[in-house]
C-alpha cells in the first residue's frame, strides 16, 4: 500500500511517521554518546591548552581537544553499544528457563516462524521458546543475526492470535527497529537503572515507628539514631537525577517516539493484511496486558517485546505512557487500522 492510498492521511501521514521515527532514532543514538562524553569532555578540558596543556590542537591535527573528545564520544559510545547490545541480549536470553519442547513441537514452531518470515520478507530468525507465564514475544537483531524469544503461553493462544504476534515481531525485524533498539540496549538499560536508583533515593521513607526501632535494636542491627539522615538520601537522589538528566531526556523521547512508535507502526502493518490479522493482534496485545506473568518477563527484553510489561515505577522512570497498550488496542479496533 502506498502512502497516497493510506486512509490515515496519505503522504502527510507517511512523512509524519518518518519524521517521528527519525527524531526518536537520533534521540536514542545520542544516549550512548552522552554517557561517554560525560567523563571524556571534562577530561579533554582539563588536559587541553586552558588546563594542563597536555593536549594541544597541533597534536590533534588542528582539532581542538574538546571537539576531538566529542567526536570520540560519538564513535566510542555508538560503536561500543552496538557491539555490546547483541551480546547482552544473548546472555539474558541464555539465562531464561527453556521450555523443554519435544522435537515435534520445536519443528512446528520453527516451521511456523519460517513461513511467516517468508511472508514478511525477512530471513527466519533463531527461535528460543522459554517457559514463561507472560504471553509475550521479543525480537532482537544485530551482527549475530535475528533472535526471536517466544513464551510458551503465547504459543498456547489461538492460532490467529499467535501468528499475528509472531508476524508483528518479524515486521519489527524487517523495519530494522529491532536492530536499532538492540544496538542501543546497553546505554538505555544503564540510564534506566541509574534513574531507578535516583528515584528510590529521593522517595526513601524513614517513617519507622518506635516499636519498629525497638525490635530492630533487640536483634542487633538497628542503631539508636540513623547513621545517615533521610535528607541525605534525598539530596543524593536529586543530584543523581541532575547528573543523569542530559542522557535521560533523549532516552525518554526515543522510547516514546521510536520504540513505542515502532510497535504502533508494526501494528498498522499487520492490521492492513486483513480483519483476521487485525483481530488476532488485538487479542494478543490485550491478553499480554491482562494475563498474569508480567514479573516473569525479563525487563531487559521489554523494549524488544510485543507488549511492554514494565511495572509502574519502571514505566514512569522510562518516561513511557502507562496507556500504551490501551492506545494501541483503540487504534487496532478503529477504522484507522484499516
Amino acid at each position: 500500500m502506498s502512502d497516497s492510498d493510506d486512509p490515515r492521511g496519505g503522504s502527510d501521514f507517511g512523512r509524519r511517521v518518518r519524521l517521528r521515527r527519525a527524531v526518536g532514532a537520533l534521540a536514542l543514538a545520542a544516549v550512548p554518546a552522552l554517557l561517554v562524553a560525560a567523563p571524556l569532555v571534562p577530561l579533554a578540558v582539563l588536559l587541553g591548552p586552558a588546563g594542563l596543556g597536555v593536549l594541544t590542537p597541533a597534536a590533534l591535527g588542528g582539532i581542538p581537544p574538546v571537539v576531538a573528545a566529542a567526536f570520540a564520544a560519538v564513535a566510542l559510545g555508538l560503536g561500543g553499544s552496538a557491539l555490546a547490545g547483541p551480546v547482552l541480549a544473548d546472555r539474558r536470553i541464555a539465562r531464561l528457563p527453556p521450555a523443554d519442547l519435544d522435537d515435534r513441537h520445536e519443528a512446528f514452531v520453527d516451521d511456523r516462524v519460517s513461513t511467516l518470515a517468508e511472508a514478511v520478507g525477512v530471513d527466519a530468525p533463531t527461535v528460543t521458546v522459554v517457559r514463561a507465564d507472560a504471553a509475550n514475544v521479543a525480537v532482537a537483531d544485530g551482527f549475530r543475526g535475528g533472535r526471536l524469544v517466544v513464551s510458551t503461553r503465547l504459543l498456547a493462544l489461538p492460532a490467529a492470535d499467535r501468528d499475528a504476534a509472531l508476524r508483528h515481531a518479524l515486521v519489527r525485524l524487517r523495519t530494522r527497529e529491532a536492530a536499532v533498539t538492540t544496538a542501543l540496549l546497553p546505554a538505555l538499560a544503564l540510564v534506566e537503572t541509574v534513574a531507578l536508583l535516583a528515584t528510590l533515593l529521593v522517595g526513601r521513607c524513614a517513617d519507622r515507628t518506635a516499636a519498629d526501632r525497638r525490635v530492630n535494636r533487640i536483634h542487633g542491627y538497628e542503631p539508636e539514631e540513623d547513621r545517615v539522615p533521610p535528607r541525605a538520601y534525598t539530596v543524593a537522589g536529586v543530584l543523581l537525577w541532575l547528573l543523569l538528566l542530559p542522557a535521560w531526556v533523549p532516552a525518554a523521547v526515543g522510547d516514546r517516539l521510536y520504540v513505542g512508535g515502532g510497535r504502533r507502526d508494526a501494528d498498522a502493518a499487520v492490521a492492513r493484511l486483513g480483519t483476521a490479522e487485525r483481530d488476532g493482534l488485538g487479542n494478543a496485545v490485550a491478553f499480554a496486558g491482562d494475563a498474569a506473568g508480567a514479573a516473569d518477563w525479563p525487563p531487559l527484553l521489554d523494549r524488544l517485546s510485543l507488549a511492554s510489561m514494565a511495572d509502574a515505577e519502571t514505566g514512569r522512570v522510562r518516561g513511557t505512557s502507562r496507556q500504551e497498550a490501551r492506545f494501541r488496542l483503540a487504534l487496532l479496533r478503529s477504522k484507522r487500522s484499516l
Side-chain angles (χ1 to χ4, degrees):
M1 178 181 291
S2 65
D3 286 340
S4 59
D5 297 329
D6 197 324
R8 296 176 296 176
S11 58
D12 289 339
F13 176 82
R15 281 194 292 269
R16 287 198 301 271
V17 168
R18 288 191 292 272
L19 178 61
R20 182 193 67 201
R21 290 178 66 85
V23 171
L26 287 174
L28 288 181
V31 176
L34 289 169
L35 291 177
V36 176
L40 205 59
V41 171
L43 185 63
V45 172
L46 175 65
L47 298 177
L52 299 178
V54 176
L55 297 177
T56 61
L60 297 172
I63 303 175
V66 175
V67 176
F71 280 118
V74 172
L76 292 174
L78 289 176
S81 186
L83 288 174
V87 177
L88 183 65
D90 285 351
R91 289 189 175 181
R92 186 62 187 90
I93 293 170
R95 296 204 307 269
L96 294 173
D100 296 329
L101 298 179
D102 56 38
D103 294 341
R104 183 172 60 88
H105 285 93
E106 284 187 1
F108 170 76
V109 175
D110 290 340
D111 177 72
R112 203 70 210 113
V113 171
S114 297
T115 301
L116 291 171
E118 184 178 358
V120 171
V122 296
D123 294 331
T126 303
V127 182
T128 302
V129 183
V130 298
R131 189 174 66 252
D133 289 334
N136 216 334
V137 55
V139 58
D141 194 14
F143 60 89
R144 295 188 171 196
R147 294 288 302 271
L148 204 64
V149 184
V150 189
S151 71
T152 49
R153 196 167 191 181
L154 180 84
L155 295 177
L157 294 180
D161 303 355
R162 176 203 65 211
D163 286 356
L166 294 175
R167 190 186 295 270
H168 184 277
L170 295 170
V171 168
R172 297 179 73 194
L173 196 64
R174 183 188 65 192
T175 59
R176 308 300 295 170
E177 190 258 315
V180 172
T181 306
T182 304
L184 300 173
L185 203 57
L188 297 176
L190 178 61
V191 168
E192 184 176 321
T193 302
V194 176
L196 280 171
L197 174 61
T199 302
L200 290 175
L201 288 174
V202 171
R204 186 178 183 273
C205 296
D207 53 349
R208 289 169 292 176
T209 64
D212 294 333
R213 296 176 182 275
R214 179 175 177 276
V215 171
N216 289 345
R217 286 197 303 273
I218 290 173
H219 288 85
Y221 57 81
E222 175 74 16
E224 182 64 33
E225 298 293 337
D226 285 329
R227 293 178 181 177
V228 180
R231 186 173 297 177
Y233 288 103
T234 303
V235 171
V238 171
L239 291 177
L240 195 56
W241 257 119
L242 291 176
L243 289 173
L244 184 66
L245 206 58
W248 178 82
V249 170
V253 171
D255 261 332
R256 179 69 65 89
L257 296 182
Y258 192 78
V259 178
R263 287 194 183 106
R264 292 193 297 273
D265 293 343
D267 288 346
V270 174
R272 284 196 296 268
L273 294 174
T275 304
E277 286 81 3
R278 181 188 62 174
D279 293 341
L281 182 60
N283 293 338
V285 172
F287 188 78
D290 295 338
D296 205 23
W297 194 247
L300 186 68
L301 301 182
D302 191 74
R303 290 182 174 91
L304 304 170
S305 302
L306 164 72
S308 175
M309 292 194 163
D311 56 41
E313 192 69 36
T314 306
R316 284 194 293 270
V317 162
R318 193 179 293 172
T320 55
S321 172
R322 302 184 201 175
Q323 308 300 327
E324 179 186 328
R326 293 183 182 179
F327 182 59
R328 290 171 63 193
L329 286 174
L331 291 178
L332 283 170
R333 292 167 179 171
S334 71
K335 293 182 179 179
R336 285 187 63 186
S337 65
L338 297 176

